[in-house]
Amino acid sequence: MTVKVKSAYEPLNELTVLDVIKPLNFFDTASLNELVVQEIGDGNLNLVFRVQDPDSEQALIVKQALPYAKVVGESWPLTLDRARIESDALLQEAESVPHLVPKVYYSDSHLAVTVMEDLSDHVILRKGLIEGNTYPLLAKDIGTFTANTAFYSSDFYLHPFDKKEQVKRFSNPELCKITEDLVFTDPFFDHDTNDFPAELRSDAEKIWADQELLREVAQLRFSFLTRAEILLHGDLHTGSIFVKEDSTKVIDPEFAFYGPAGFDLAHFFANLTLNHLSQNAHAKEPFHRENVQSFLLQTIEKTWETYTNTFTELWREKASDPFAKTEGVLENFLQHTFQEVIGFAGCEVIRRTIGLAHVADLDSIEQKDIELFYKKKALELGSYLIKNQRKFTSITQLTDWIRGA
Ligand code: SR1
Ligand code: MG
């Protein structure tokens, strides 16, 4: 829809949201009063309204950025520009993988609003995984999503002028700063944003004192700060993916920016690994547990396989880089990406365990001593990945190691 209403910013509520959708003429119903509006946002940052016509069951989502981080409150101001970034990223992603993102019906950068497809027939992947469900399309879809969005946004494909325009368009300093702090800095120091029980203090102190580990983190952090390689989703954890048996949708790209190619895959793999660990507590029945855990590892393997195959095909057919046909250039890029996937994944595993933003996979383990046991394991695992990233040379070496760990 192309309607553009320029409006001054104010946080929406269940009534005023109707003023935003009125000009869109989305619903067949004549009376807007009949629509049912619910605020359903359970994330850290935004308001999310679902608007539904109870008769026809037609529905849409109105997402609005708040001028602060909801998870902390008004003391943490946050740019509204992230709403523009999110809708621009969804539109950009839809150019190569329209079936893997929600449709955007309308956006208003003044109101910091994106109106988009309702995906209530899907579930958030993290929730589905914690419940022990498996999703046959997940690996193929995320491999396809990451490869396409990477290739088409890269210098391998774009004219250098267009690439630089895109880097400007997706300049996202405030959201990047959140990641720089919460993923790559605070968990590696005794910082007051960290959040962990006293029983994990000695494990955290071991991390803070490990100079070899900190050197590697410093390098990964520097990569994140400086390597404007591809348009990233920027926050591709299992809470940013909606799934059902026959569909996958990647949502929430408000952290999108140009960054290092391994970052999104790392976050996806790290969150699958955390779920794998937590299944030892969640899945009580051994056969079921084995089934879910082997699905998770196969998903990591198949995602990487799909990513490399798809990226390679796109490279062969469409790369404009003058060195595209030079032997070993693509292989070097993929090899470097793979190594950073391992290192970035280690950082994500550690920050989800002792940093500010945790994951329900570990936090919802009912027995405290078991939760602590797996959190300690997660810290060991994350540290090992960071320190040994160069030792991993194939995806099955990684999944074998996770299985063994
Ligand atoms: C204050 S935001 C905390 C975390 O939530 C987002 O989803 C990102 O992962 C961020 O680090
Ligand atoms: Mg999010």
Side-chain angles (χ1 to χ4, degrees):
M1 271 177 223
T2 51
V3 192
K4 280 271 166 202
V5 189
K6 296 264 179 262
S7 355
Y9 182 82
E10 62 178 71
L12 296 172
N13 58 43
E14 289 174 357
L15 283 177
T16 55
V17 93
L18 295 175
D19 298 334
V20 175
I21 60 158
K22 197 171 174 180
L24 309 182
N25 293 320
F26 177 85
F27 291 98
D28 297 337
T29 177
S31 165
L32 284 179
N33 299 335
E34 287 165 27
L35 298 176
V36 178
V37 185
Q38 262 181 303
E39 207 280 309
I40 56 166
D42 60 357
N44 292 328
L45 303 174
N46 306 295
L47 293 173
V48 182
F49 299 92
R50 179 167 188 262
V51 186
Q52 193 199 15
D53 174 354
D55 295 332
S56 67
E57 304 228 328
Q58 275 183 302
L60 51 68
I61 295 294
V62 180
K63 180 172 176 179
Q64 185 185 40
L66 288 165
Y68 53 85
K70 197 167 92 179
V71 64
V72 175
E74 296 190 29
S75 62
W76 186 342
L78 205 51
T79 177
L80 293 175
D81 190 45
R82 67 189 196 273
R84 177 198 60 84
I85 297 261
E86 170 159 351
S87 76
D88 278 7
L90 288 173
L91 295 171
Q92 190 64 47
E93 292 159 357
E95 286 189 14
S96 59
V97 281
H99 60 300
L100 298 178
V101 289
K103 281 189 202 73
V104 172
Y105 299 132
Y106 168 72
S107 60
D108 179 332
S109 57
H110 296 261
L111 264 184
V113 150
T114 308
V115 182
M116 62 189 127
E117 185 181 359
D118 173 52
L119 296 169
S120 305
D121 55 342
H122 292 61
V123 294
I124 287 290
L125 175 60
R126 189 183 306 286
K127 184 169 180 286
L129 292 177
I130 293 173
E131 286 167 4
N133 301 317
T134 58
Y135 300 94
L137 294 185
L138 181 64
K140 192 179 126 279
D141 285 346
I142 298 299
T144 304
F145 174 88
T146 46
N148 276 276
T149 54
F151 180 78
Y152 284 112
S153 63
S154 73
D155 282 293
F156 302 128
Y157 175 73
L158 290 176
H159 185 282
F161 293 168
D162 296 334
K163 156 77 186 318
K164 272 127 193 135
E165 274 307 312
Q166 288 290 77
V167 173
K168 272 199 260 170
R169 179 183 178 204
F170 289 104
S171 164
N172 198 356
E174 285 193 36
L175 282 274
C176 284
K177 179 76 165 65
I178 292 181
T179 306
E180 287 150 27
D181 291 345
L182 297 188
V183 179
F184 291 112
T185 311
D186 300 356
F188 299 96
F189 296 90
D190 189 1
H191 200 280
D192 59 9
T193 60
N194 289 332
D195 176 17
F196 55 85
E199 293 89 333
L200 288 185
R201 176 149 280 272
S202 61
D203 306 81
E205 283 171 349
K206 210 165 128 199
I207 288 175
W208 303 336
D210 188 336
Q211 298 299 301
E212 185 194 345
L213 175 81
L214 298 187
R215 260 195 309 280
E216 295 291 354
V217 175
Q219 209 171 316
L220 290 159
R221 182 175 179 278
F222 191 67
S223 273
F224 182 83
L225 285 161
T226 58
R227 294 176 76 102
E229 294 174 349
I230 62 158
L231 177 61
L232 292 170
H233 174 281
D235 197 25
L236 192 56
H237 56 83
T238 48
S240 296
I241 301 171
F242 260 132
V243 278
K244 57 179 181 146
E245 179 78 10
D246 57 353
S247 165
T248 310
K249 303 276 184 188
V250 177
I251 60 165
D252 246 10
E254 66 195 314
F255 282 75
F257 82 112
Y258 263 79
F263 187 80
D264 280 347
L265 283 171
H267 279 227
F268 181 56
F269 292 169
N271 281 268
L272 294 181
T273 303
L274 287 166
N275 186 269
H276 185 278
L277 203 56
S278 75
Q279 288 301 340
N280 294 310
H282 292 306
K284 303 278 185 280
E285 204 272 303
F287 178 73
H288 178 58
R289 178 165 63 238
E290 247 170 64
N291 192 31
V292 179
Q293 288 183 323
S294 81
F295 162 77
L296 292 164
L297 297 183
Q298 277 170 27
T299 300
I300 293 178
E301 289 169 10
K302 274 199 245 161
T303 303
W304 178 252
E305 201 181 299
T306 307
Y307 175 83
T308 52
N309 290 343
T310 310
F311 197 92
T312 302
E313 251 170 62
L314 290 168
W315 176 288
R316 294 210 175 115
E317 284 167 20
K318 299 188 174 172
S320 58
D321 188 290
F323 293 94
K325 293 203 164 54
T326 307
E327 209 176 297
V329 172
L330 170 63
E331 289 71 13
N332 283 347
F333 173 76
L334 292 174
Q335 163 57 32
H336 177 80
T337 301
F338 181 69
Q339 189 206 300
E340 282 201 332
V341 166
I342 308 280
F344 288 141
C347 296
E348 170 72 355
V349 166
I350 288 180
R351 78 96 173 209
R352 292 296 189 183
T353 312
I354 55 173
L356 175 86
H358 289 198
V359 288
D361 311 55
L362 291 176
D363 278 8
S364 67
I365 295 175
E366 277 162 19
Q367 256 178 278
K368 176 100 176 133
D369 55 336
I370 298 184
E371 178 189 335
L372 283 172
F373 177 81
Y374 286 112
K375 286 191 169 176
K376 281 171 189 276
K377 273 258 167 237
L379 293 178
E380 277 171 27
L381 207 140
S383 303
Y384 186 91
L385 290 175
I386 294 169
K387 289 208 277 191
N388 295 282
Q389 54 188 292
R390 279 173 282 279
K391 289 194 189 137
F392 288 93
T393 53
S394 71
I395 196 71
T396 47
Q397 202 185 338
L398 173 68
T399 49
D400 284 348
W401 179 80
I402 298 170
R403 194 177 290 110

